[in-house]
Amino acid sequence: LTSNTHIVLKVRSFKNALVPADKKLLLTLRYQYRKTQREVAQIMNIKQSSVCERENRILKEIKKILE
């Protein structure tokens, strides 16, 4: 497999994994709907700092999967 194919397979695996709904919602709002962290915080009824912390945690998890 090429390097790109390997990455695509890992991303598909992550997308199909049982990801908690709150993580999916946060990522969907931030990257699909391009909401700011402040907007996401209002929608999810949490603090903006919590959105920042959760987003960073999720992105680290994704990076580990892609390594």
Side-chain angles (χ1 to χ4, degrees):
L1 296 173
T2 67
S3 178
N4 288 340
T5 303
H6 188 64
I7 291 171
V8 168
L9 291 174
K10 284 186 174 187
V11 170
R12 284 183 183 161
S13 174
F14 177 78
K15 284 177 62 178
N16 293 329
L18 293 176
V19 179
D22 61 327
K23 289 182 180 182
K24 285 183 182 178
L25 177 60
L26 190 148
L27 291 177
T28 299
L29 291 171
R30 287 286 288 143
Y31 296 98
Q32 185 174 350
Y33 294 104
R34 300 191 183 274
K35 298 290 185 187
T36 65
Q37 288 183 350
R38 175 184 267 179
E39 291 169 325
V40 172
Q42 290 172 341
I43 292 167
M44 295 181 71
N45 198 30
I46 59 176
K47 294 180 181 180
Q48 184 272 328
S49 61
S50 294
V51 172
C52 182
E53 291 168 3
R54 291 179 188 193
E55 183 177 357
N56 287 334
R57 195 175 318 122
I58 295 166
L59 293 177
K60 283 180 185 177
E61 290 174 19
I62 293 170
K63 285 179 185 178
K64 275 186 182 179
I65 291 169
L66 295 176
E67 290 177 346

